[in-house]
């Protein structure tokens, strides 16, 4: 009994001080009323939680807008899958946008444009040639990047093929007959592309698509040049791509246009012959298409080389038997 009386007062003081923080009643109210107020506060805090420990943690987190660590990792993973951007940039955008996924994706696109503009002065000597062909024309575009690693990336290759297919729509002055029409960024970059890729999609210009891919890759990506070849009504166009990772892409391209005489000609067989000729063109790397196109300067240079080879002093060697 003596122990119970000794312990009862500290317990009463504890409940009095605890309940006093949560209630505005008379400070001389009874211990029973204080106990009732404390139990109500406790039930309001832990309502809806079956696990008291986890419930108290959720109660504390309700006062903060920052998600749990597991939720943060899930958001980072989702945004990374959507954009393929570096994890560092993904997390920075999520933190900047208060972990709003859609806002962070828009912020990443803005960051990517700034990053791409900063890297636009860097040398882009690698890349791919993309070739697209229809019944009357062949389009070749050159898309450059900084490293061979990016050139093998599926997003980069998808953009190159999409640009080549769209280059077939370029209006050239040689559409009435056969000919070659070169075009550069100033003509092609404002053309509209309709992309359908998980990482790059929607309708956008060629320039914006290149900038977006540059932001994803983290390198300088640029469209350098393109060529549009048109055939005559009696012609056949054939193409060959060397070091081709997939159809329509390669490191070196050869295009051959053949004129056909006669109506009963097997066009498929002639097109195969044209592909073989295009392969030999890639292997031989000719500088001129015909003798008439060889410049006088090139002829003079070759003559100087031949003369120097003829005027070499011969060496005599003596041998003993």
């Amino acid at each position: 009994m003596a122990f119970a009386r000794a312990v009862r007062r500290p317990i009463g003081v504890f409940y009095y001080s605890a309940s006093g923080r949560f209630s505005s009643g008379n400070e001389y109210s009874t211990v029973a009323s204080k106990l009732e107020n404390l139990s109500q506060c406790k039930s309001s805090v832990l309502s809806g939680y079956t696990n008291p420990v986890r419930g108290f943690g959720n109660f504390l987190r309700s006062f903060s807008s920052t998600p749990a660590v597991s939720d943060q990792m899930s958001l980072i993973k989702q945004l990374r899958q959507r954009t393929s951007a570096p994890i560092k940039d993904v997390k920075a955008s999520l933190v900047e946008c208060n972990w709003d996924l859609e806002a962070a994706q828009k912020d990443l696109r803005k960051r990517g444009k700034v990053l791409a503009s900063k890297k636009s002065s860097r040398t882009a000597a690698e890349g791919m040639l993309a070739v697209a062909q229809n019944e009357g024309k062949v389009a070749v575009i050159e898309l450059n990047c900084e490293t061979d690693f990016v050139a093998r990336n599926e997003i980069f290759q998808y953009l190159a093929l999409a640009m080549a297919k769209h280059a077939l729509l370029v209006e050239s002055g040689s559409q009435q007959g056969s000919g070659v029409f070169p075009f550069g960024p100033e003509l092609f970059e404002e053309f509209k592309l309709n992309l359908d890729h998980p990482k790059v999609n929607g309708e956008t210009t060629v320039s914006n698509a290149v900038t977006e891919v540059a932001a994803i890759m983290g390198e300088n990506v640029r469209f350098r040049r393109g060529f549009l070849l048109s055939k005559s009504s009696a012609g056949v166009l054939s193409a060959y791509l060397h070091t081709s990772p997939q159809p329509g892409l390669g490191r070196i391209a050869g295009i051959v246009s053949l004129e056909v005489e006669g109506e009963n000609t097997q066009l498929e067989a002639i097109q195969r012959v044209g592909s073989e000729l295009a392969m030999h063109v890639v292997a031989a790397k000719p500088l001129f298409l015909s003798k008439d196109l060889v410049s006088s300067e090139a002829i003079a240079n070759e003559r100087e080389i031949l003369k120097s080879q003829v005027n070499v002093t011969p060496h005599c060697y003596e041998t003993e038997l």
Side-chain angles (χ1 to χ4, degrees), residues 224-246:
R224 184 184 177 189
R225 56 183 174 174
F227 296 92
L228 186 67
L229 290 82
S230 303
K231 73 177 184 67
S232 62
S233 58
V236 174
L237 289 172
S238 300
Y240 169 77
L241 283 163
H242 187 64
T243 315
S244 178
Q246 60 171 298

Side-chain angles (χ1 to χ4, degrees), residues 41-170:
C41 177
K42 180 180 178 182
S43 61
S44 65
V45 170
L46 300 179
S47 60
Y49 300 104
T50 56
N51 188 338
V53 176
R54 189 176 65 181
F56 186 70
N58 292 331
F59 168 72
L60 292 178
R61 284 196 296 272
S62 65
F63 293 96
S64 175
S65 59
T66 304
V69 176
S70 60
D71 296 334
Q72 292 180 9
M73 296 302 297
S74 177
L75 290 171
I76 291 173
K77 181 180 179 181
Q78 292 180 48
L79 189 56
R80 169 76 172 159
Q81 290 175 344
R82 286 189 185 186
T83 63
S84 295
I87 293 180
K88 180 181 177 181
D89 296 339
V90 167
K91 185 176 180 181
S93 292
L94 284 169
V95 172
E96 182 71 20
C97 299
N98 199 20
W99 298 95
D100 187 328
L101 190 62
E102 299 298 331
Q105 186 172 357
K106 294 180 181 178
D107 182 69
L108 265 180
R109 296 185 67 180
K110 295 178 182 178
R111 288 170 180 259
K113 291 184 178 180
V114 174
L115 183 64
S117 64
K118 290 181 179 179
K119 296 184 177 182
S120 61
S121 61
R122 287 159 48 166
T123 302
E126 294 290 336
M128 280 285 172
L129 294 174
V131 176
Q133 184 175 359
N134 58 19
E135 293 182 358
K137 293 182 288 188
V138 173
V140 185
I141 67 102
E142 180 180 350
L143 189 63
N144 294 129
C145 57
E146 296 180 40
T147 63
D148 183 65
F149 176 78
V150 169
R152 296 195 302 267
N153 185 277
E154 61 159 344
I155 303 175
F156 181 89
Q157 294 182 0
Y158 172 82
L159 177 62
L161 286 172
M163 291 172 61
K165 292 176 182 177
H166 198 75
L168 292 171
L169 304 177
V170 172

Side-chain angles (χ1 to χ4, degrees), residues 153-278:
N153 185 277
E154 61 159 344
I155 303 175
F156 181 89
Q157 294 182 0
Y158 172 82
L159 177 62
L161 286 172
M163 291 172 61
K165 292 176 182 177
H166 198 75
L168 292 171
L169 304 177
V170 172
E171 296 291 336
S172 67
S174 60
Q175 296 209 357
Q176 301 300 324
S178 61
V180 180
F181 175 69
F183 58 91
E186 64 281 351
L187 175 65
F188 192 55
E189 285 188 338
E190 296 305 318
F191 274 59
K192 295 288 185 179
L193 288 177
N194 192 4
L195 303 177
D196 186 17
H197 189 275
K199 303 297 175 63
V200 283
N201 51 67
E203 185 176 349
T204 184
T205 63
V206 171
S207 178
N208 289 338
V210 170
T211 301
E212 189 171 351
V213 171
I216 294 174
M217 298 294 102
E219 287 189 7
N220 181 22
V221 176
R222 68 186 184 96
F223 164 69
R224 184 184 177 189
R225 56 183 174 174
F227 296 92
L228 186 67
L229 290 82
S230 303
K231 73 177 184 67
S232 62
S233 58
V236 174
L237 289 172
S238 300
Y240 169 77
L241 283 163
H242 187 64
T243 315
S244 178
Q246 60 171 298
L249 292 172
R251 300 297 299 272
I252 308 174
I255 312 295
V256 172
S257 176
L258 299 176
E259 295 292 332
V260 180
E261 295 181 358
E263 298 180 357
N264 298 325
T265 308
Q266 296 182 356
L267 295 181
E268 293 184 0
I270 294 177
Q271 196 164 24
R272 286 196 299 269
V273 172
S275 298
E276 295 291 331
L277 290 175

